[in-house]
């Protein structure tokens, strides 16, 4: 038997909050998804004005980051023409996303879930996903100190 | 040109809150999805312990209720063997759900979105979805009075 | 954060062994799948002569039993015409199976994975899946005693 | 009428064992799939820590290698921009994989099945798949001598 750590719904809300606050700061309404470590959806929010296509893309970015234990941005580099993972973007029915914006949430060296953001530029998406993780990890750190 | 009324993210959160409070009362951790009037996901939450299979089913119940402008439960009756809509359950790649738990949100006679709930019995799912709608409509009514 | 117990690959092999030995006893070559508690495949074997269609069905039975935390057989009863879950069989792209042969593996009251078996009659499939679980639980019990 | 040579379940286990031993040597927990010559799954194992996304990718690499009777790596070259098979990676719903790690098993000049490995770099995946084939062919050769 294996013992696994996984995000709770409360954790997922914190991750979404951090991403949403950052999205509001930069003025881009985002779709924000949080999955557990197996890539299964825990929570999702589409900010008013977020893109319809991004409801799927945000979820699949989080699925990819959790399932493959790496950022979707790292696949972008690795899947360029001539690079080893070229062509991987159409795997799993196209759910494997290689566009920036999916980032695994890592606690004590283990992937416990992931955030996926979509509707802006890939750089904006990634920035907001990271803001969600920053807020979450800051909360974890604060609770450990208390 | 058409003007459409549609749930906002704030509305979706209220709908989820109402469903979640009811789910907690009956002790069943639920997956709760809210879509807009086009069946596109606005918000989703899987309560800790909610079923993995229900992450998809809750979303598809809301999709069905919004898109078809009727409860999934009404399809249950209409799709029994020998009834006119028999076989409709496998339509749209199986996304059209005929099990109770998807309810359209109706304001001023127009469908503005839908709630889909899954993880309990169909009756429990439907009860929680209705509780979400009740909370939302109570808020609308209160704001009109003030 | 949540802490989850999950089957290991060694556990999955034991579950398959138990099902396979029973399948050999009754003379039916089976497809046998084991998933973790999120419905993700850990191990699979198609015995020589097992059915090609059953490679998918066995996996989806295990996915259903793990994800929904109940036997696929329990859905068979609940999804008959006129019963509450009627029509659920086409959910999740048809992956939600209501035919006997998918059984969750429960340890200390928690679903830690599931076994799905297919190629025989539903009763034979279910019998073999249970034989896998029996062998696994006997091993757990023995290790606790030592 | 045609007579087909095809891997047995015992053969598939040997192929998985060879890949798994190599994966352990390089310290990368892999998903390992073996299909028959028609691309149908015979056996699968996800080593503890293998990637969730790789459960599908490993199977689809083996499917591609068996069905197309060539390594997925050979498609990587042929599908680069400007090359004849450009765009083939999204064929068959994305199941046709052009990333290294899928290798056909060839006996007496005939494809009898394939191995697909995923979770490491494409080079690591391919190395482990080949190790599985090496162990299998060594066993065939030994039995012919005895």
């Amino acid at each position: 038997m294996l013992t696994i750590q996984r995000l709770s719904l409360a954790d997922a809300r914190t991750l979404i909050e951090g991403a949403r606050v950052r999205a509001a700061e930069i003025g881009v309404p985002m779709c924000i998804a949080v999955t557990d470590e197996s890539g299964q959806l825990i929570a999702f929010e589409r900010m008013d004005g977020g893109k319809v296509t991004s409801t799927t893309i945000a979820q699949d970015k989080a699925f990819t980051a959790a399932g493959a234990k790496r950022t979707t941005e790292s696949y972008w580099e690795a899947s360029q023409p001539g690079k080893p993972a070229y062509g991987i973007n159409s795997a799993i029915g196209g759910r494997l996303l290689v566009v920036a914006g999916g980032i695994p949430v890592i606690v004590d060296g283990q992937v416990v879930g992931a955030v996926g953001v979509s509707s802006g530029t890939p750089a904006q998406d990634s920035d907001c996903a990271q803001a969600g993780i920053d807020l979450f990890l800051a909360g974890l750190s604060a609770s450990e100190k208390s």
Side-chain angles (χ1 to χ4, degrees), chain A:
Chain A
M1 298 279 285
L2 306 176
T3 300
I4 304 288
Q5 297 291 316
R6 162 181 292 177
L7 295 172
S8 68
L9 174 55
D11 297 331
R13 282 187 192 140
T14 301
L15 287 154
I16 287 181
E17 182 191 348
R20 191 180 57 231
V21 167
R22 182 74 184 126
E25 286 174 1
I26 63 174
V28 180
M30 294 287 193
C31 291
I32 308 162
V34 176
T35 67
D36 63 26
E37 93 300 332
S38 293
Q40 299 286 354
L41 192 63
I42 303 176
F44 173 88
E45 286 196 358
R46 172 160 51 113
M47 296 169 69
D48 296 337
K51 298 178 180 174
V52 161
T53 43
S54 292
T55 58
T56 301
I57 294 173
Q59 293 182 57
D60 287 349
K61 282 182 179 177
F63 163 77
T64 300
K69 306 181 185 186
R70 56 189 285 185
T71 64
T72 54
E73 188 170 14
S74 73
Y75 270 124
W76 180 85
E77 181 62 33
S79 67
Q80 292 295 318
K83 293 294 179 68
Y86 172 71
I88 195 73
N89 58 298
S90 49
I92 315 179
R95 294 194 68 198
L96 197 147
L97 276 164
V98 305
V99 178
I103 306 182
V105 182
I106 300 175
V107 174
D108 295 335
Q110 298 296 312
V111 173
V112 296
V115 184
V117 177
S118 180
S119 282
T121 66
Q124 289 173 326
D125 296 346
S126 188
D127 178 38
C128 291
Q130 187 59 53
I133 293 174
D134 290 346
L135 182 66
F136 171 67
L137 294 181
L140 273 193
S141 178
S143 66
E144 284 174 0
K145 286 175 187 165
S146 63

